[in-house]
Amino acid sequence: MSHPSLSVLTTHNKTARAISGEKFSVSWKSPSNIALVKYWGKKENQIPLNPSLSMTLSQSYTLTRVTAITDREEKKLKVNADAGHPFIPKMELFLQYIEKEVPILKELSFNVETTNSFPHSTGIASSASGFSAFALCLLSIAEMVSGKNIASGEFFNLASFVSRMGSGSACRSLYGGYSLWGKTDHVQGSSGLFAVPIAKKVHPIFRNLHDAILVISSEPKSLPSTKGHALMDHHPFASARIIQAENNLSETLKALDSGDIERLISVTENEALTLHALIMSSKGGTVLLKPPTVNVILRIREARRKGMPVFFSLDAGPNVHLFYPEKSALEVEQFIRDELVSSCENGLVIFDCCGTGPVLQEI
Ligand code: DP6
């Protein structure tokens, strides 16, 4: 597998290096994403067991500012000015990885200020938005320190490549529209090392697909994703799952390209239910669905039988992502208020839609 090269960001030129006490600061806003074809299970080096495809969100994002200083007296990494912040262990591992690839970052200490636009544990992947934003900031800082500018296309490819090491799903957040991660014969240039955008092959009806996130429970995840992926290591259905994911990916690509919503509905719901079926049939048999999750799913299907173009996805938790096209927004949002809000914790629904990807913030 060819490896995107970060060597462009290394420098041996002494004059281009940061001088002691110099400060560099940058801020990126990066969105979360929701997988239509699920990444579930991984091999060594964060290579996914199967290709996945996601829609990038618009309103659910992380805003991160990284301030780097060339002062080795400082504690290496602080998050929101706190050296004991709970995100630090995972971020430190990530930093160690990226420093191996971009050694000039070793000369710096980092203060990270980060906020999410959405509440915690709501079925929106904060690791996807968080690690993509952090990776973008670190690469921008590396550009500043090395005095080198990477062309935009290559920059996002590198950011996808490195953010994968923080969290697999993060590598898909670097692009607007829809992104694919994982090697597949269906998409030229696809790779397990980074995601690729598939925006050009998407029919207009899906370019502004809405996603209402129905928060059934905001309890912290009972199955952390790393443990979840490990359940696939000796799963009795693992080989069948890999074949199914390839077929579902092919179906999803065809549906997105042609605007065939029936096809997209069928494959998206199959993926969501398969994810939970795999979790339930794993060793230990974890059940992440709650009674209101099932109630909401049944109501969505009943509304669809009556002609409403609505369908759902699930992450590894009880919350429901409800999709609908822009043109049906009024009707569907009325249906949500009338029939679904009562199943949500404190009536919480987060209205989101397909987004355009990360944005560099003004200094
Ligand atoms: C069910 O990307 O959170 O949301 O790579 O261990 O950080 P790590 O896992 P993570 O897994 C996401 C799993 C999923 C499906 C998906 O987003 O594709």
Side-chain angles (χ1 to χ4, degrees):
M1 243 182 289
S2 71
H3 178 299
S5 176
L6 287 144
S7 58
V8 64
L9 288 170
T10 57
T11 178
H12 303 292
N13 175 357
K14 271 222 171 281
T15 57
R17 290 171 88 153
I19 42 174
S20 184
E22 202 173 350
K23 249 189 189 179
F24 303 87
S25 186
V26 71
S27 174
W28 279 91
K29 178 169 137 181
S30 190
S32 186
N33 67 72
I34 171 72
L36 304 184
V37 179
K38 305 292 180 184
Y39 147 50
W40 198 240
K42 52 175 132 175
K43 303 183 233 174
E44 255 178 57
N45 193 29
Q46 283 278 101
I47 302 298
L49 213 52
N50 62 268
S52 60
L53 186 149
S54 59
M55 181 178 92
T56 297
L57 296 174
S58 165
Q59 304 304 312
S60 306
Y61 57 82
T62 297
L63 189 59
T64 297
R65 169 170 296 278
V66 173
T67 305
I69 185 161
T70 54
D71 179 358
R72 300 303 302 195
E73 298 302 300
E74 282 268 308
K75 174 90 180 128
K76 180 78 183 145
L77 177 65
K78 286 184 188 159
V79 176
N80 297 340
D82 177 4
H85 195 281
F87 292 174
I88 285 188
K90 232 183 152 186
M91 287 170 82
E92 239 160 16
L93 277 179
F94 176 64
L95 200 53
Q96 277 166 20
Y97 165 77
I98 195 167
E99 281 177 350
K100 258 191 249 147
E101 299 279 338
V102 189
I104 46 168
L105 292 175
K106 283 191 194 150
E107 298 171 21
L108 306 167
S109 294
F110 300 97
N111 190 34
V112 182
E113 294 155 80
T114 188
T115 49
N116 292 334
S117 66
F118 49 91
H120 199 53
S121 302
T122 44
I124 300 170
S126 59
S127 61
S129 52
F131 275 107
S132 54
F134 190 35
L136 285 162
C137 288
L138 291 174
L139 288 187
S140 289
I141 297 269
E143 278 191 321
M144 291 177 197
V145 178
S146 65
K148 292 177 183 166
N149 270 325
I150 313 176
S152 169
E154 194 188 347
F155 183 82
F156 286 102
N157 174 247
L158 288 176
S160 177
F161 169 67
V162 292
S163 51
R164 172 187 115 252
M165 298 308 285
S167 180
S169 53
C171 77
R172 299 185 308 234
S173 277
L174 277 303
Y175 301 103
Y178 296 79
S179 307
L180 170 105
W181 171 40
K183 180 85 194 123
T184 169
D185 292 341
H186 300 297
V187 177
Q188 238 195 342
S190 59
S191 168
L193 297 171
F194 49 82
V196 292
I198 54 161
K200 287 194 195 94
K201 301 267 296 164
V202 172
H203 189 278
I205 71 155
F206 297 133
R207 287 195 198 140
N208 195 11
L209 191 65
H210 285 240
D211 175 11
I213 301 139
L214 305 160
V215 181
I216 305 298
S217 165
S218 61
E219 273 172 27
K221 275 186 175 182
S222 60
L223 181 66
S225 53
T226 309
K227 272 198 177 155
H229 290 293
L231 294 175
M232 288 308 286
D233 289 350
H234 304 286
H235 199 290
F237 305 144
S239 50
R241 165 61 189 155
I242 294 168
I243 296 166
Q244 178 203 35
E246 273 289 343
N247 292 337
N248 280 349
L249 176 73
S250 158
E251 278 296 294
T252 303
L253 289 166
K254 284 180 198 151
L256 287 176
D257 185 20
S258 62
D260 184 345
I261 193 161
E262 292 306 321
R263 203 169 192 171
L264 192 67
I265 289 172
S266 157
V267 70
T268 302
E269 293 193 353
N270 178 258
E271 276 291 308
L273 295 175
T274 296
L275 172 69
H276 282 265
L278 288 168
I279 293 168
M280 286 191 258
S281 54
S282 301
K283 203 160 176 236
T286 312
V287 180
L288 300 174
L289 302 175
K290 303 243 183 218
T293 313
V294 178
N295 182 38
V296 162
I297 288 175
L298 296 178
R299 281 176 184 250
I300 291 170
R301 287 190 159 179
E302 195 182 318
R304 196 161 71 233
R305 269 194 296 277
K306 292 181 187 155
M308 200 182 285
V310 280
F311 58 111
F312 68 85
S313 186
L314 303 160
D315 250 329
N319 302 322
V320 180
H321 289 250
L322 171 61
F323 297 110
Y324 49 98
E326 161 83 4
K327 65 174 175 22
S328 309
L330 274 180
E331 174 198 13
V332 175
E333 286 162 16
Q334 191 60 47
F335 158 65
I336 293 172
R337 283 191 288 275
D338 293 347
E339 295 199 38
L340 305 181
V341 160
S342 58
S343 296
C344 298
E345 188 183 84
N346 302 320
L348 182 59
V349 180
I350 297 168
F351 290 94
D352 211 328
C353 61
C354 187
T356 52
V359 181
L360 178 66
Q361 303 299 285
E362 295 292 323
I363 303 290

